Amino acid sequence: MSKRFILLSLVALILLGSVTSSLADTANTAKTLTLDEAYDLALKNNIDFLKAGLSYDQAMLEAEQADYNADKINSDSVGSLQEAQTKYVSSKQKLLAEEVAKQTYDISIEQTKNLVEKNYYDVLKAENLIKTREAAVKRAQEQFSLVQKKYKAGTAVKTDVNRAEVTLANAKADLANAQRDFKNTQVAFTKVIGLDVSRDVKLAQILKYEKVALPTVEELTKQALVSRLDLKKVKNAQTIAQINYDLVIGYQAPNTFTGRSSKIDLERAKLDLLQQEQNVKAEVISTLFQIQKSDEVVQLLAKGLEQAKDNYSLAQRRYQIGVGSAVDVISASVDLADSEAKYVEAVYNYALAKNQLKTINCLILLFPHKTI
């Protein structure tokens, strides 16, 4: 074997190792994603969405087959109820099923986006909770150090040190739990968007309070009654029941067993539609009320958080100059950590409540947003 060949082989191995190492570094590098980028990934990789595409293809195939079978029956040669049902009812059923399948696929796009958004917010919330817990640990550590100094100087008692140490331990435990929750939400998010679950991701957006301009109950109900897939399915069932009943009484007397049975089916379909419309109206009212109350909670907790910050600062300054107690500072610190966590949770809940606007009518509803 020539020296030149050996040298070239060594160079090739070095280059290959360099490329492999580079690819490994790229794979382990955290990917920063906007919400829109997360949508795109999910629509390419989410298994449930890909299955929805196959269901749409199957529905189209069945509709095509129904049309083919119906076309084989000449309208002039229809002489029985069964032939008429095959010619007119079955073909109409499949035509309506084709429309529903198309809408189902479109809605599955929006549902996948909603799922991505929910998981995206889960990660954002977990990130924010880590920050609040880290701040709480820092405050508890500072308080513990201050109490220790005062204890050594003879101006604090041992119980103050113990309380401060317990508070610090609790704060560290809360931080560990927050870090665990963050990892769980990150894994769930990467799974939804179709990335390797071991891949770290960073989110380009932040969790913040964005007030939404709500539609009226009447506006939202009107839109939902037009576009809801569940309503469309029930309406289609009533259409088919009506066509079938008309065919039956065209070939048989209305008081026959078949005629009476098809009449019952038609009346049931009408009641199903009425019931579903009532359900939609109830859902609209409930969703709008939930958003309003979630907004109120954010406003209240925002004020409470500011008060908790002021109270902690005052308690800390009083203790530093010797006119306050360690208990007051520890209590104020715990209250502040609790207020911070509650506010993050409230902003998250409001974001999810707003997300329900997108599912009320199973299609994206666009309303103007105002960032606060």
Side-chain angles (χ1 to χ4, degrees):
M1 185 179 293
S2 68
K3 293 182 179 180
R4 181 174 179 275
F5 180 78
I6 294 175
L7 180 60
L8 289 174
S9 298
L10 289 173
V11 171
L13 286 173
I14 292 172
L15 290 174
L16 178 62
S18 176
V19 171
T20 303
S21 176
S22 176
L23 290 174
D25 290 341
T26 301
N28 293 325
T29 302
K31 185 174 181 60
T32 301
L33 292 174
T34 65
L35 188 53
D36 286 337
E37 289 171 337
Y39 290 154
D40 291 340
L41 283 171
L43 295 180
K44 293 176 182 176
N45 303 318
N46 184 274
I47 293 177
D48 288 332
F49 176 69
L50 297 178
K51 286 182 178 180
L54 293 177
S55 296
Y56 173 63
D57 291 341
Q58 183 64 41
M60 295 299 102
L61 180 61
E62 291 175 359
E64 184 179 343
Q65 185 177 14
D67 287 340
Y68 174 76
N69 293 335
D71 287 341
K72 289 195 300 182
I73 302 175
N74 192 299
S75 301
D76 296 333
S77 65
V78 173
S80 69
L81 175 60
Q82 184 176 2
E83 288 179 336
Q85 287 175 326
T86 301
K87 176 69 175 176
Y88 302 111
V89 178
S90 296
S91 60
K92 183 63 175 179
Q93 267 183 323
K94 292 305 179 182
L95 179 62
L96 294 176
E98 182 178 348
E99 294 176 2
V100 169
K102 177 63 171 67
Q103 187 176 3
T104 300
Y105 181 72
D106 291 340
I107 288 172
S108 68
I109 294 176
E110 303 308 330
Q111 289 176 333
T112 300
K113 288 184 176 181
N114 290 339
L115 180 62
V116 169
E117 186 172 352
K118 195 270 181 186
N119 281 269
Y120 197 92
Y121 284 140
D122 285 346
V123 178
L124 290 178
K125 182 185 80 168
E127 283 182 336
N128 280 26
L129 285 176
I130 285 179
K131 293 176 183 177
T132 65
R133 297 311 184 188
E134 287 174 341
V137 168
K138 183 179 179 181
R139 289 193 298 267
Q141 183 64 62
E142 291 173 350
Q143 183 59 24
F144 179 60
S145 299
L146 179 59
V147 172
Q148 278 187 317
K149 289 180 181 179
K150 284 183 172 285
Y151 176 70
K152 290 177 181 179
T155 57
V157 295
K158 182 61 176 176
T159 55
D160 289 343
V161 177
N162 292 340
R163 288 194 186 98
E165 191 170 10
V166 168
T167 301
L168 177 58
N170 289 338
K172 288 181 177 179
D174 288 339
L175 174 58
N177 286 332
Q179 291 168 335
R180 176 205 62 202
D181 293 342
F182 171 72
K183 188 60 180 178
N184 289 339
T185 58
Q186 192 180 56
V187 169
F189 174 66
T190 54
K191 181 180 177 182
V192 166
I193 62 177
L195 291 180
D196 184 344
V197 293
S198 63
R199 181 88 176 264
D200 285 336
V201 293
K202 293 182 179 179
L203 306 187
Q205 295 169 226
I206 60 175
L207 183 64
K208 58 184 177 181
Y209 173 61
E210 292 182 327
K211 189 174 181 63
V212 67
L214 294 177
T216 65
V217 171
E218 292 73 21
E219 289 172 340
L220 192 53
T221 300
K222 182 178 179 181
Q223 292 181 11
L225 291 177
V226 171
S227 58
R228 283 281 287 250
L229 178 61
D230 49 3
L231 272 173
K232 180 163 290 189
K233 287 181 177 179
V234 175
K235 289 178 181 177
N236 289 348
Q238 180 181 325
T239 299
I240 295 301
Q242 184 69 61
I243 293 174
N244 189 58
Y245 175 71
D246 292 340
L247 284 174
V248 168
I249 62 174
Y251 285 86
Q252 300 179 6
N255 61 350
T256 61
F257 288 119
T258 304
R260 288 154 63 189
S261 178
S262 60
K263 179 65 173 177
I264 290 174
D265 289 340
L266 176 58
E267 294 304 318
R268 182 183 290 111
K270 291 178 180 179
L271 290 175
D272 286 342
L273 178 57
L274 178 61
Q275 184 178 46
Q276 194 60 34
E277 288 175 344
Q278 292 174 341
N279 290 341
V280 169
K281 292 176 183 178
E283 186 178 342
V284 166
I285 293 172
S286 177
T287 298
L288 290 178
F289 184 76
Q290 179 184 349
I291 297 172
Q292 291 168 354
K293 290 304 170 183
S294 296
D295 191 12
E296 287 182 23
V297 170
V298 172
Q299 304 290 346
L300 291 170
L301 290 180
K303 293 179 181 178
L305 178 57
E306 291 303 315
Q307 292 172 345
K309 289 178 179 178
D310 290 342
N311 190 44
Y312 173 71
S313 296
L314 289 172
Q316 193 177 40
R317 287 199 295 269
R318 285 172 58 83
Y319 184 65
Q320 288 172 343
I321 63 177
V323 296
S325 69
V327 174
D328 291 338
V329 180
I330 292 171
S331 178
S333 178
V334 171
D335 288 344
L336 176 54
D338 184 55
S339 294
E340 289 172 334
K342 284 183 176 179
Y343 180 73
V344 171
E345 188 73 28
V347 173
Y348 166 78
N349 288 336
Y350 180 62
L352 290 189
K354 291 189 301 180
N355 191 265
Q356 289 301 308
L357 283 177
K358 301 176 182 179
T359 59
I360 277 292
N361 66 353
C362 293
L363 292 173
I364 288 291
L365 294 177
L366 298 177
F367 296 104
H369 286 69
K370 179 183 177 184
T371 302
I372 303 297

